[in-house]
Amino acid sequence: MRTGIGYDVHRLTRDRKLILGGVEIPCEMGLYGHSDADVLIHAVMDALLGAAALKDVGYHFPDTDPVYKDVSSIKLLGKVREMLEEHMYLIENIDAVIVAQKPKLRPYIDQMTRNIAEALKVEDKQVNVKATTEEGLGFTGHLEGISAHAVCSIVPALDYMQDDRVSSSCAGCGGCPRLDAK
């Protein structure tokens, strides 16, 4: 099993939509960034890429590339899933937390969870999203920005495949009556 951590932060600004976990949340301020600035998805992507030792979000989707201007981070998360598949990794679980003083995020958490699970082609129960405030402290508490942290576990797909080369019987089962009759 491999574990990865991810962290992202974006400052709040006017004239931007607030997108978290692929959900547009009604708010007078949004997050500043080259893409849609979805800190939750960025933290999840960095956790997954880190677990697979595949560098980070900025390496694969640089903010200097116009292709990624205002791009949906959920679409980029799908590309991260494809990278994991190419390297034969399976996602075990993801646990993430959004740190934001405002707005209250509880009404949107379930949809964020579904969006992440759908983009990664995993079950909802493999993704956990939560939100907290910093009780008015720090840059998030002063409404200067929003941050997110994520942790994930992945496993090589080969760990789930039986290796029938270690046994003389089929599928490594140890034998069956058919073989004993010979």
Side-chain angles (χ1 to χ4, degrees):
M1 180 178 303
R2 299 173 67 114
T3 303
I5 60 170
Y7 173 76
D8 195 38
V9 61
H10 284 271
R11 67 182 153 105
L12 285 162
T13 187
R14 299 215 178 271
D15 301 321
R16 286 279 295 197
K17 293 178 182 179
L18 179 59
I19 310 287
L20 294 170
V23 177
E24 186 176 333
I25 298 168
C27 189
E28 61 275 1
M29 296 181 80
L31 293 171
Y32 180 81
H34 186 68
S35 67
D36 63 6
D38 188 330
V39 293
L40 173 59
I41 301 302
H42 295 179
V44 169
M45 289 191 297
D46 263 345
L48 292 166
L49 290 166
L54 295 175
K55 302 193 185 314
D56 61 25
V57 171
Y59 178 83
H60 293 285
F61 313 111
D63 63 5
T64 55
D65 190 334
V67 169
Y68 303 117
K69 179 72 175 145
D70 297 324
V71 71
S72 164
S73 295
I74 286 288
K75 288 183 182 177
L76 298 180
L77 183 59
K79 291 186 180 294
V80 169
R81 176 190 45 78
E82 291 170 2
M83 288 180 219
L84 293 175
E85 288 174 355
E86 287 171 17
H87 288 85
M88 298 185 64
Y89 286 111
L90 301 173
I91 298 167
E92 285 287 322
N93 76 303
I94 296 165
D95 188 27
V97 61
I98 306 164
V99 183
Q101 194 66 34
K102 288 183 181 178
K104 293 295 181 192
L105 299 175
R106 176 64 237 145
Y108 309 100
I109 296 287
D110 292 341
Q111 185 61 53
M112 292 178 198
T113 300
R114 283 191 296 273
N115 290 348
I116 293 168
E118 182 178 303
L120 294 172
K121 296 184 180 180
V122 299
E123 296 181 34
D124 289 6
K125 67 182 181 179
Q126 291 174 268
V127 178
N128 188 57
V129 176
K130 47 200 179 287
T132 191
T133 69
E134 288 190 309
E135 303 296 326
L137 300 172
F139 72 91
T140 61
H142 294 131
L143 303 174
E144 295 172 29
I146 294 177
S147 67
H149 303 262
V151 177
C152 74
S153 297
I154 63 173
V155 293
L158 293 176
D159 286 1
Y160 283 95
M161 301 170 83
Q162 277 200 327
D163 188 350
D164 59 357
R165 295 172 295 174
V166 286
S167 173
S168 60
S169 60
C170 59
C173 73
C176 62
R178 254 185 333 149
L179 292 175
D180 292 338
K182 289 185 179 179

